[in-house]
Amino acid sequence: MIIYAININSGGGKVLLDRLLIENPFERTTAVLLDSRYTPPREFTGYTVYFKVWERLFAEVLLHKKLKTEANNESVLFFGNLPPFIKTKVKSILYLQNCYLTRQVPLPEDSLKVKFRSFVESLLLKLFYKNVDEIWVQTEWMKTITQKYCPKANIKIKPFLPLLPQAHPKATKDYKFTYVGSLSINKGLPNFLKALEDLDKSLKSKIKVSVVLNNTLEEANQSGLFTKSLLNITLDLKCRVGREELSRIYEASEFLVVTSLYESFYLPAYEAIHFGCKVIASKNVGYLSHLHDSKDFIFYSGDDLDLTKLSI
């Protein structure tokens, strides 16, 4: 399999791409076309070419040339949400991880730049999705909304997790609740902080809560979300932690609280369970609906999080 991933360099996409290159969960990876900002795992020894994001068209030309001269029996996985401009002569697959591109959920409102980029990429998906033989997604919910936007697509559910180290959950947890996300509007951090304020008034003993953000500390302070003082809750704010530290936080947490409205997969939920941390989420979030019967999840009705009403 040849992997085309010239716009993947960080976040959840990076950790999944690492797994693809190391363990080949679908097919053996023989070559990759990568974002110049991405550093592949040292275990990967296949053919590698790097491109700037704006060199996408040039990268695709090279891909078609390689397929024509060297790799007629290969399949191609477009791992970066966008299909090719030209259909390949071999089996091609698009791995779609961005629910915003389906236009079945509101476009992100955090910045005009992000909103415009999502709008343009959604148009590219609509125009060129027929250039792949299959679209792979991670959940049934994602399949449903993608099928609405790309009605003629052959869509398959193909989830996989990143490489996760062996778990060592703490018997006595340091944190009652943990939030993992960002300041993005979709992530619902204010909803979680409001629930903590309400819970704080009813507590008779003190607890610790961890908030892990994919933002800088300066951005967190400028958001104005952390100005309220709590009497019985100690808030431990961490920004841009590494993978090892995040694992330790999960191991030291009793519950991960999910407030994000729209996700294609929401990797933190699966990571938390692996490291011995249960998950609290609303039944209304479609991206976790396939887990309603899981013993590791506590689902509540409605959109408003009320930690005082949960039996935890």
Side-chain angles (χ1 to χ4, degrees):
M1 174 179 278
I2 296 174
I3 296 177
Y4 182 96
I6 67 164
N7 58 343
I8 300 293
N9 68 90
S10 61
K14 179 190 181 303
V15 296
L16 290 178
L17 183 55
D18 288 347
R19 166 86 192 280
L20 279 178
L21 299 188
I22 295 174
E23 293 199 341
N24 306 294
F26 303 119
E27 297 177 25
R28 188 174 71 88
T29 303
T30 58
V32 286
L33 286 73
L34 296 172
D35 188 313
S36 59
R37 297 166 293 179
Y38 170 80
T39 302
R42 59 178 177 271
E43 295 93 334
F44 181 71
T45 58
Y47 175 82
T48 305
V49 186
Y50 294 94
F51 297 91
K52 304 287 187 183
V53 173
W54 52 266
E55 295 178 312
R56 178 179 178 85
L57 187 58
F58 179 69
E60 193 170 318
V61 169
L62 178 64
L63 171 66
H64 287 285
K65 181 178 179 181
K66 182 173 178 60
L67 290 172
K68 183 177 180 180
T69 60
E70 303 177 30
N72 291 327
N73 295 321
E74 293 275 15
S75 60
V76 181
L77 179 63
F78 291 92
F79 192 78
N81 296 307
L82 294 177
F85 295 121
I86 302 172
K87 186 174 178 61
T88 65
K89 294 183 178 180
V90 300
K91 181 180 179 181
S92 57
I93 303 150
L94 170 65
Y95 207 96
L96 183 62
Q97 303 174 70
N98 189 339
C99 62
Y100 291 116
L101 303 195
T102 68
R103 298 294 292 277
Q104 305 303 302
V105 299
L107 289 173
E109 296 288 347
D110 298 284
S111 73
L112 287 176
K113 179 180 178 181
V114 173
K115 186 173 184 178
F116 178 73
R117 185 183 67 202
S118 299
F119 175 76
V120 171
E121 290 184 350
S122 71
L123 289 180
L124 293 175
L125 174 63
K126 186 71 169 180
L127 287 171
F128 297 108
Y129 81 86
K130 295 177 185 176
N131 286 345
V132 295
D133 299 298
E134 297 175 0
I135 297 179
W136 290 359
V137 296
Q138 295 158 302
T139 65
E140 187 67 44
W141 177 78
M142 189 67 178
K143 179 180 179 180
T144 299
I145 63 173
T146 304
Q147 198 77 72
K148 289 180 179 179
Y149 193 61
C150 305
K152 296 184 178 180
N154 179 14
I155 304 175
K156 296 184 177 180
I157 301 174
K158 295 278 189 173
F160 69 101
L161 291 173
L163 295 169
L164 297 173
Q166 183 177 356
H168 300 285
K170 297 185 69 172
T172 302
K173 303 291 189 177
D174 299 329
Y175 302 112
K176 183 69 174 181
F177 306 110
T178 285
Y179 167 95
V180 176
S182 73
L183 297 172
S184 297
I185 295 173
N186 167 64
K187 300 297 184 181
L189 176 58
N191 189 23
F192 176 57
L193 296 179
K194 175 62 170 59
L196 289 181
E197 288 180 43
D198 295 337
L199 178 65
D200 185 62
K201 299 172 185 176
S202 66
L203 288 176
K204 293 181 173 57
S205 59
K206 295 184 181 297
I207 63 170
K208 289 184 66 176
V209 173
S210 174
V211 173
V212 182
L213 298 179
N214 187 28
N215 300 89
T216 66
L217 182 59
E218 181 181 6
E219 290 170 333
N221 291 332
Q222 290 176 348
S223 72
L225 293 174
F226 301 95
T227 58
K228 297 288 181 68
S229 58
L230 301 172
L231 295 176
N232 297 305
I233 298 176
T234 300
L235 201 62
D236 192 358
L237 175 62
K238 298 177 182 294
C239 295
R240 293 189 174 177
V241 305
R243 300 289 297 170
E244 290 186 8
E245 184 177 358
L246 181 58
S247 301
R248 290 194 294 270
I249 293 171
Y250 286 135
E251 290 173 338
S253 302
E254 191 172 351
F255 298 101
L256 172 73
V257 179
V258 178
T259 54
S260 187
L261 299 176
Y262 313 109
E263 300 282 351
S264 63
F265 191 55
Y266 195 64
L267 185 57
Y270 300 88
E271 292 176 324
I273 294 302
H274 173 80
F275 289 109
C277 174
K278 293 183 181 296
V279 177
I280 297 173
S282 169
K283 284 185 177 179
N284 291 352
V285 291
Y287 58 88
L288 293 177
S289 60
H290 59 293
L291 298 169
H292 281 177
D293 295 330
S294 172
K295 62 180 177 59
D296 295 311
F297 283 73
I298 297 174
F299 288 98
Y300 60 90
S301 300
D303 295 319
D304 295 327
L305 174 63
D306 189 343
L307 295 173
T308 65
K309 293 181 178 180
L310 299 179
S311 301
I312 49 179

